[in-house]
Amino acid sequence: MNLFARTFVVIASLSFGLSACSPSLNHKTTTEPLQTLKLFPTPQQPASSFPTSIIASSLIHVGKDKARVIVSVANGLIAALDANTGQTDWQLMLPAPQGGEVQLISTPVMIGDKLVVLYQCLEQAVRTSHRMAVIDLNRHQLDPGLPMLEINAEQTASDGKGKVTFNTKTAFSHAELKHFKPAGANLGKVYAGFGSSGDVQPFHGWLFEVDLDAWQQHGVKQAISNILLVTPEADCPSKMEYGTQEMICGGGIWSPTGIAVVPSGKNDAEIFIPTGNGQVDIARHDYANSVLKVKPGLQFTDGCDLDLCKNFNPKQPDEACISSCSNLFIPRLAQGNAPIKPADGECDDKDFWECIAWLDFDLGANTPVKITLANGKDLLVQAGKDGGVYLIDANHLGKQYDRLQIAELCGTKTDGCSRTWMGMIVTEPQHTMIDGEAVVIVSTFMPDKSHPAGLVALKITEENGVPKFKRFWQFPDAKSPEALTTFRSHPSTPTLTQNAEGDATIWIVDIGQQGTLYGVRVKDGQLQIKQTLQGTGRQQSRPLFYSNTVYIASVTPSTGKAFLEAYRIIGNH
């Protein structure tokens, strides 16, 4: 019996969750409300649970017999769950050295029937190795044709006098793996980014290009085809508790949703790399807190004008210089933007670039998205942890068209920001077209009790040929009481779905003792679904949609055990 038929066999024995529109959120009821049907866990379908968190986003594998949700547990367990029952069909523990343990944070990538996983091994809480493994999803085992790859590297320092070695202890794999398959390739290439956990120096931003075909044909010594080191400094003389406050080295590639790989033709791709805080110095080829544009092969040239940039100042970069850089975007305020000056006075004596480093408001927390307007103009949308969203020329990254502050700075003089380091945006924006206009949806959060947060939708319009952001809607309504109580910390990564008529819905989980799934219609910001979860949900994990069902990573607060929640969405969404 197929999944669709089986679902409706059990419909009579299961209860409907809270659905349709909630008047308390100041949104009108839709004429055709959506509903939810809880698939698992229920008393009839208890589903599997796991002893540690599910931090990576889940994936769907459609095998010859059935669909399975592939769950990557933080302790290194890979579990394949029946998509209809939530029960484990098979599982595999990633190998670690004897006496060691596995830590799996980054979301794997699925290539056909192969799952490529990046993880780290620890001994007594110290990272001792970083590994990439390939799992054969049909045979439920490590792929013998792609033996375990251990990540190591050494690059020449920017001064040409020293070497920068990949530091196993301070490197941390957090970013989602990304894949590109050029024409003629069998498996293609996978991109793995590294930053640091807690900005512990010395650390750098590393991006590895792994050629799966060379790995399969010639072994692990040929697997890593190219490496990009974004802060090639042999010495990182940090004296402060947080290494990036001094703008030294750093530049971690750590966004939970990873870099952006945009295919351009059969054999090529554009790769946009967001980097975290650290040292930005064009003369020394240090590219922290920026976005880099490269091609497969990872050979990077910033394209900056040498004359305009000859006296580059990382704390006060010259506008003419950074505007000249064709393959490098360095954030800055736009005309009319208020300075970044939080209420606690932390940045009263600091320029924009010093302030965002001091507050840990790194650009690299967010994944960029490329958008092509109806007139063919290519744009890049990049959100910042500082609450701003940047609109950039995708063909010349130095050209910043607009910057809009969509989330106010956390904290007031009487209501301090509880976790300043969090920022206000850590996400991957979603986008679609409505009546020929590009619409971008960005999720925000707010660790205080005074400022609104949630989903913010922006239209991209043109004024005298110049692209601009225009506010479209915000959910919850910024003036509603709920806007000050929901989204107080990192939510899930949003997911966008589209029905047969082209209407899009954005889905997001607000984390709490009981998390909440929201489904919001993009064309007007109307609430379609509000579903209270059994567990907390899981921040930054992306809800997975398959066959009209949403799968959500969650945690039981009383036990700390992780599990998946699954809800069938009934209606046209």
Side-chain angles (χ1 to χ4, degrees):
M1 185 180 296
N2 65 38
L3 182 59
F4 181 84
R6 186 172 181 179
T7 298
F8 283 93
V9 168
V10 301
I11 193 169
S13 65
L14 300 179
S15 61
F16 284 97
L18 174 63
S19 58
C21 295
S22 171
S24 67
L25 290 174
N26 294 342
H27 282 258
K28 298 177 183 178
T29 302
T30 58
T31 55
E32 296 182 3
L34 301 178
Q35 295 179 314
T36 57
L37 171 66
K38 188 174 184 180
L39 295 189
F40 59 79
T42 68
Q44 295 80 17
Q45 297 286 4
S48 296
S49 63
F50 307 96
T52 57
S53 289
I54 303 167
I55 299 174
S57 297
S58 300
L59 304 169
I60 194 75
H61 178 242
V62 182
K64 294 179 180 180
D65 56 340
K66 66 167 77 171
R68 295 177 175 86
V69 180
I70 306 300
V71 175
S72 302
V73 187
N75 66 355
L77 180 71
I78 305 297
L81 276 56
D82 185 305
N84 195 37
T85 68
Q87 290 293 317
T88 300
D89 278 352
W90 61 266
Q91 62 184 35
L92 179 152
M93 180 63 76
L94 294 168
Q98 187 173 3
E101 58 182 313
V102 170
Q103 188 178 56
L104 199 173
I105 309 297
S106 61
T107 298
V109 65
M110 190 179 299
I111 305 170
D113 295 321
K114 297 183 188 295
L115 185 74
V116 183
V117 184
L118 182 67
Y119 68 100
Q120 42 222 358
C121 296
L122 293 81
E123 294 182 23
Q124 298 181 340
V126 176
R127 286 182 290 279
T128 56
S129 64
H130 296 266
R131 298 179 170 191
M132 184 174 286
V134 180
I135 298 171
D136 185 322
L137 295 173
N138 290 327
R139 297 182 178 180
H140 318 157
Q141 64 181 29
L142 293 174
D143 192 319
L146 291 153
M148 188 71 64
L149 170 65
E150 188 164 326
I151 304 292
N152 285 296
E154 187 176 75
Q155 299 282 284
T156 302
S158 57
D159 59 8
K161 299 178 181 178
K163 295 288 186 180
V164 185
T165 301
F166 180 75
N167 190 322
T168 301
K169 293 181 180 180
T170 60
F172 191 79
S173 56
H174 191 261
E176 180 177 343
L177 297 179
K178 293 298 175 71
H179 174 241
F180 171 62
K181 183 180 176 181
N186 180 33
L187 296 173
K189 304 174 188 294
V190 166
Y191 295 91
F194 287 84
S196 175
S197 176
D199 293 339
V200 178
Q201 291 283 12
F203 82 95
H204 303 274
W206 295 85
L207 184 65
F208 292 85
E209 181 183 73
V210 178
D211 188 327
L212 297 173
D213 295 307
W215 183 0
Q216 189 177 55
Q217 295 166 16
H218 305 294
V220 293
K221 291 184 178 180
Q222 301 295 318
I224 298 174
S225 53
N226 291 287
I227 301 169
L228 177 63
L229 172 62
V230 303
T231 51
E233 300 290 343
D235 297 313
C236 302
S238 175
K239 299 177 182 179
M240 301 182 67
E241 182 179 2
Y242 297 103
T244 59
Q245 287 185 319
E246 296 176 273
M247 301 172 73
I248 298 295
C249 297
I253 299 170
W254 70 270
S255 172
T257 44
I259 64 174
V261 178
V262 184
S264 55
K266 294 182 178 181
N267 279 312
D268 209 355
E270 295 175 314
I271 302 174
F272 298 96
I273 307 163
T275 62
N277 274 334
Q279 180 163 285
V280 185
D281 192 332
I282 290 174
R284 294 184 65 82
H285 305 292
D286 290 321
Y287 303 112
N289 202 54
S290 54
V291 178
L292 290 66
K293 179 181 177 181
V294 301
K295 297 279 191 179
L298 304 184
Q299 303 306 306
F300 177 69
T301 56
D302 55 38
C304 303
D305 186 292
L306 295 179
D307 290 331
L308 294 175
C309 297
K310 62 182 178 181
N311 296 315
F312 187 83
N313 181 352
K315 296 182 179 180
Q316 294 179 321
D318 179 72
E319 173 68 28
C321 164
I322 61 179
S323 295
S324 74
C325 302
S326 58
N327 298 317
L328 176 69
F329 172 72
I330 297 176
R332 63 271 199 187
L333 296 173
Q335 187 175 4
N337 285 166
I340 304 294
K341 302 291 182 184
D344 61 9
E346 283 286 289
C347 286
D348 286 354
D349 60 345
K350 295 176 177 61
D351 288 312
F352 173 77
W353 293 273
E354 294 177 286
C355 181
I356 58 178
W358 187 262
L359 298 177
D360 199 23
F361 284 177
D362 42 342
L363 195 71
N366 297 278
T367 298
V369 294
K370 184 181 178 182
I371 297 173
T372 301
L373 301 184
N375 63 9
K377 185 169 289 185
D378 293 326
L379 303 173
L380 199 70
V381 175
Q382 174 69 42
K385 205 174 171 186
D386 57 14
V389 182
Y390 300 85
L391 191 59
I392 309 157
D393 186 331
N395 297 316
H396 191 287
L397 297 194
K399 186 181 292 185
Q400 177 178 298
Y401 289 119
D402 199 7
R403 178 189 180 278
L404 185 64
Q405 189 81 23
I406 65 168
E408 298 179 69
L409 295 177
C410 178
T412 70
K413 290 185 177 181
T414 58
D415 175 25
C417 186
S418 63
R419 297 175 296 278
T420 303
W421 59 269
M422 275 187 165
M424 287 72 69
I425 304 177
V426 178
T427 193
E428 180 180 26
Q430 301 296 304
H431 64 95
T432 188
M433 300 293 288
I434 297 178
D435 298 328
E437 289 186 302
V439 175
V440 182
I441 308 97
V442 184
S443 60
T444 71
F445 58 93
M446 187 62 63
D448 70 19
K449 301 175 183 178
S450 302
H451 296 113
L455 295 170
V456 178
L458 307 171
K459 284 186 175 181
I460 299 177
T461 62
E462 288 195 281
E463 298 177 9
N464 300 318
V466 179
K468 295 287 183 183
F469 287 127
K470 181 180 178 181
R471 288 185 179 273
F472 186 23
W473 52 258
Q474 186 162 337
F475 175 86
D477 188 295
K479 296 180 181 179
S480 70
E482 290 78 15
L484 301 181
T485 58
T486 56
F487 298 98
R488 296 298 100 184
S489 64
H490 295 122
S492 73
T493 297
T495 297
L496 186 140
T497 61
Q498 236 168 355
N499 64 18
E501 288 73 38
D503 289 333
T505 302
I506 193 82
W507 304 86
I508 192 167
V509 175
D510 186 19
I511 311 303
Q513 280 293 104
Q514 278 190 292
T516 306
L517 170 69
Y518 293 105
V520 180
R521 196 166 57 197
V522 175
K523 69 180 180 181
D524 54 14
Q526 296 298 308
L527 181 64
Q528 296 287 87
I529 286 285
K530 180 187 176 184
Q531 171 67 53
T532 301
L533 302 183
Q534 179 172 317
T536 64
R538 183 63 176 82
Q539 62 266 34
Q540 300 171 2
S541 178
R542 183 187 292 107
L544 170 68
F545 270 81
Y546 174 72
S547 190
N548 289 331
T549 301
V550 56
Y551 301 88
I552 301 166
S554 202
V555 176
T556 303
S558 60
T559 65
K561 288 188 176 181
F563 62 100
L564 281 192
E565 303 190 36
Y567 298 88
R568 175 76 69 183
I569 306 300
I570 310 295
N572 190 20
H573 67 95

